[in-house]
Amino acid sequence: MSHISLSSLVWLFLVVFVIHDMEEIIWVGPWAKRNRQKVVAAVPASLKRSLTQMLDITSSQFAVAVLLEFIVFVPFTLIAAEQGRYFIFLAFNTLFFLHVFTHVAQSLYLKMYTPGVVTAVLIVLPYSLLLFNRLLSEKVVTCGEILLSLPVGLLVVPLVLAGHELGKRWVKS
């Protein structure tokens, strides 16, 4: 895949993100409604309350959080692709890569399909491996920088939570 420029590969992140999150947007509302009881029954008591609140989300509300993330991702993707400054982009992609395994773990734990698992495994995982391979092989980043980027990537978590809260306020179920 070295015939794809590194800049194009970086821009491809936004496409992969949208495809993955479209699967989640489409399925999260109906899935949560249909599987609420089974999911709540399967988790430890300490998680039941917060999970119950999370399962009250509609697809439209979830889309607000996705939009907020996308708006934040675009300028950092631009900076990486056009200026060669990769650290924040790397942070987002390190977290995105690890996010694959949360989808797989959820599906294995619940013994069922969970929204996002298909595109996580079939699209996000191969893209992430290709991206990291290219960044490392072209010596654009180091393994140490990938590890150092993870805590920075975790800054997306409050953004996602804020997006979910905004979605619940803006879009009534």
Side-chain angles (χ1 to χ4, degrees):
M1 288 294 246
S2 61
H3 59 279
I4 297 174
S5 72
L6 184 55
S7 178
S8 295
L9 188 59
V10 167
W11 280 115
L12 195 55
F13 164 65
L14 296 174
V15 175
V16 171
F17 174 80
V18 167
I19 291 169
H20 171 66
D21 278 82
M22 285 305 297
E23 179 190 2
E24 291 179 314
I25 289 168
I26 291 166
W27 292 111
V28 73
W31 181 90
K33 191 176 287 186
R34 187 175 55 253
N35 295 294
R36 171 191 260 297
Q37 301 303 328
K38 180 178 181 177
V39 173
V40 170
V43 299
S46 60
L47 297 176
K48 286 187 191 301
R49 187 173 183 199
S50 60
L51 185 62
T52 300
Q53 291 174 335
M54 287 172 47
L55 290 171
D56 283 337
I57 197 161
T58 66
S59 291
S60 298
Q61 291 167 339
F62 188 84
V64 173
V66 171
L67 175 61
L68 195 57
E69 286 177 81
F70 186 78
I71 289 168
V72 170
F73 291 164
V74 168
F76 290 103
T77 302
L78 172 71
I79 290 167
E82 303 302 324
Q83 297 177 6
R85 296 184 0 225
Y86 293 95
F87 190 72
I88 304 296
F89 172 81
L90 184 64
F92 294 153
N93 275 276
T94 302
L95 190 65
F96 197 42
F97 170 69
L98 294 175
H99 180 66
V100 168
F101 301 99
T102 64
H103 278 291
V104 172
Q106 289 167 354
S107 288
L108 291 174
Y109 182 77
L110 295 170
K111 297 179 181 80
M112 64 190 312
Y113 166 82
T114 56
V117 70
V118 173
T119 54
V121 171
L122 297 179
I123 297 173
V124 177
L125 181 61
Y127 169 77
S128 297
L129 293 173
L130 178 62
L131 176 69
F132 290 137
N133 183 52
R134 281 288 295 279
L135 291 171
L136 289 166
S137 68
E138 294 187 20
K139 298 184 180 3
V140 173
V141 302
T142 65
C143 287
E145 288 171 319
I146 292 172
L147 291 174
L148 283 173
S149 75
L150 182 57
V152 175
L154 291 174
L155 294 174
V156 171
V157 174
L159 176 72
V160 171
L161 296 175
H164 287 295
E165 188 57 36
L166 284 174
K168 286 186 178 193
R169 290 181 189 195
W170 292 350
V171 181
K172 300 299 176 197
S173 41

